[in-house]
Amino acid sequence: MAQSSRVALITGITGQDGSYLAEFLLEKGYDVHGIVRRASTFNTERLDHLYQDPHQSDCHLILHYGDLADGNCIAQLVHEIAPDEIYNLGAQSHVRVSFDQPLYTVDVVATGALRLLEAVRQLSRRKDVRFYQASSSEMYGKVHEVPQSETTPFHPRSPYACAKVFAHYQTVNYREAYGMYACNGILFNHESPRRGETFVTRKITRAATRIREGLQDKLYLGNVDAKRDWGYAKDYVEAMWLMLQQDEPQDYVVATGETHSVREFLELSFAALELNWQDHVETDSRYLRPSEVDLLLGDPSKAKAGLGWEPRTSFAELVQLMVDADWTLAREEKAVALHRASVA
């Protein structure tokens, strides 16, 4: 089973992508280290199923407290762990929130990536390190061409997207200036049952299933006509890993090559529950962005040709996966509510 004894370090390991990537790397025999922010509550539920006794296995998961906003801490961890591969997935990644917290977003997403790159540069003096930067399709923003490829100009339209552009070009700069093995993966929207509940896809499937079980009445959204290239996060982490296995570092778009609107996501989600979404969804201006990104559609041909990667999960299958998982949660929530009512 084990193909490698390499060591990987993942920032943002407690998030959707981080948890799937940790799972993927552990299956390949890696020792996986993750950086988590210290908080008053535990936020490792996406990783709980991965813990195992390190004395019983050659590969295991180790978590370290740290923060991309703390350069000294990041540098110390990188040098102590001395990983073979580093995956920078940590971010304040909610686009709408970035308009409300632009300074924090830029510090973590942009300067945080630079702090990590500099730590990697110093470590690279004594060992070979391969670095992956999580770039984003949001960098294309007001798109200049359709579909978007690795050569499409960026036109970011949010503090988050601007910060990602900075991190992207710093990764290119460190690759060219210092000869580092550093790659950007320009990932288009990728979802799963592990997606945070404030992101529109999970917000939809969570609300739809709760409405189906009588736990809520309405769902409030912003622009339902926005179009995105949506894939399955579990498929996409394999592309991240493949980028670091090539002879030469390059940047790749990771996408499905299909675009669907929020409206289509609503239709499929509610139809799977035998509901009409128009009976339950209302528009709320609070969820509209000051500057909207109307259409994102990725061209994954370079990743297919160069990495041998292509998505395995269709849009309809992705929606069904998320609805099924959230319907289970909604039923459990309803059962708890009924039990409490019966003993009250």
Side-chain angles (χ1 to χ4, degrees):
M1 166 178 148
Q3 300 176 1
S4 171
S5 58
R6 285 176 288 180
V7 177
L9 172 62
I10 304 172
T11 70
I13 195 170
T14 60
Q16 168 189 254
D17 294 6
S19 65
Y20 280 122
L21 180 60
E23 197 171 74
F24 178 87
L25 294 176
L26 286 169
E27 289 174 355
K28 288 195 169 292
Y30 280 68
D31 289 336
V32 177
H33 295 254
I35 298 177
V36 298
R37 284 177 294 174
R38 190 180 295 274
S40 58
T41 57
F42 291 109
N43 63 343
T44 58
E45 61 274 2
R46 292 185 179 97
L47 302 171
D48 289 344
H49 67 291
L50 298 178
Y51 281 106
Q52 52 187 310
D53 184 354
H55 300 293
Q56 301 299 319
S57 175
D58 292 332
C59 63
H60 55 278
L61 174 65
I62 303 171
L63 301 182
H64 308 263
Y65 284 119
D67 196 315
L68 286 169
D70 185 343
N72 289 333
C73 173
I74 290 298
Q76 182 178 348
L77 285 171
V78 167
H79 285 263
E80 286 180 356
I81 297 166
D84 301 291
E85 298 174 4
I86 296 179
Y87 298 85
N88 184 30
L89 312 183
Q92 187 301 100
S93 58
H94 197 287
V95 176
R96 181 63 189 84
V97 170
S98 78
F99 284 100
D100 300 323
Q101 297 184 318
L103 297 180
Y104 173 74
T105 299
V106 169
D107 187 31
V108 172
V109 176
T111 314
L114 181 57
R115 293 182 184 110
L116 192 54
L117 280 164
E118 184 58 20
V120 174
R121 182 179 73 86
Q122 295 171 13
L123 178 61
S124 293
R125 294 171 181 170
R126 59 185 174 93
K127 72 169 294 182
D128 292 329
V129 185
R130 299 193 169 197
F131 177 82
Y132 171 85
Q133 168 62 25
S135 288
S136 168
S137 59
E138 286 287 332
M139 300 187 305
Y140 296 116
K142 188 176 181 180
V143 298
H144 290 220
E145 62 184 16
V146 179
Q148 295 88 54
S149 72
E150 293 81 4
T151 59
T152 302
F154 299 137
H155 190 145
R157 303 199 80 196
S158 68
Y160 168 76
C162 290
K164 280 292 186 182
V165 170
F166 177 92
H168 179 95
Y169 279 125
Q170 286 291 1
T171 301
V172 173
N173 180 51
Y174 271 68
R175 179 171 70 216
E176 295 178 351
Y178 304 115
M180 285 172 44
Y181 194 109
C183 300
N184 288 293
I186 308 173
L187 270 62
F188 280 65
N189 292 65
H190 45 291
E191 320 297 321
S192 76
R194 298 182 191 176
R195 189 61 146 150
E197 293 184 20
T198 59
F199 291 86
V200 66
T201 53
R202 185 76 196 288
K203 186 176 180 180
I204 289 170
T205 58
R206 191 81 176 95
T209 53
R210 295 187 82 250
I211 289 169
R212 179 67 174 79
E213 293 302 316
L215 296 169
Q216 74 181 70
D217 299 319
K218 295 289 183 180
L219 167 61
Y220 298 92
L221 295 174
N223 179 15
V224 299
D225 294 315
K227 294 182 178 180
R228 295 291 184 268
D229 184 325
W230 273 306
Y232 184 27
K234 192 171 183 178
D235 293 344
Y236 283 32
V237 298
E238 181 182 11
M240 299 178 189
W241 176 76
L242 285 168
M243 288 181 210
L244 298 194
Q245 313 313 309
Q246 308 306 305
D247 292 336
E248 298 294 332
Q250 297 187 53
D251 305 326
Y252 296 87
V253 163
V254 180
T256 68
E258 297 180 5
T259 189
H260 299 274
S261 66
V262 174
R263 187 184 302 272
E264 289 178 77
F265 202 101
L266 281 165
E267 289 171 350
L268 284 178
S269 299
F270 278 80
L273 300 162
E274 300 182 338
L275 296 171
N276 181 351
W277 71 271
Q278 293 172 314
D279 295 335
H280 304 283
V281 178
E282 295 184 11
T283 300
D284 190 327
S285 60
R286 291 178 300 172
Y287 300 115
L288 296 173
R289 302 180 186 181
S291 52
E292 183 58 79
V293 174
D294 296 312
L295 169 64
L296 292 174
L297 173 61
D299 176 5
S301 56
K302 181 180 177 181
K304 183 176 181 179
L307 304 176
W309 179 89
E310 54 187 327
R312 294 185 292 272
T313 308
S314 71
F315 177 70
E317 289 169 339
L318 171 63
V319 174
Q320 191 65 56
L321 270 171
M322 295 178 67
V323 168
D324 288 345
D326 277 333
W327 202 358
T328 297
L329 291 180
R331 287 165 170 160
E332 291 172 354
E333 184 182 355
K334 184 176 181 179
V336 170
L338 291 172
H339 175 72
R340 287 176 177 170
S342 68
V343 298

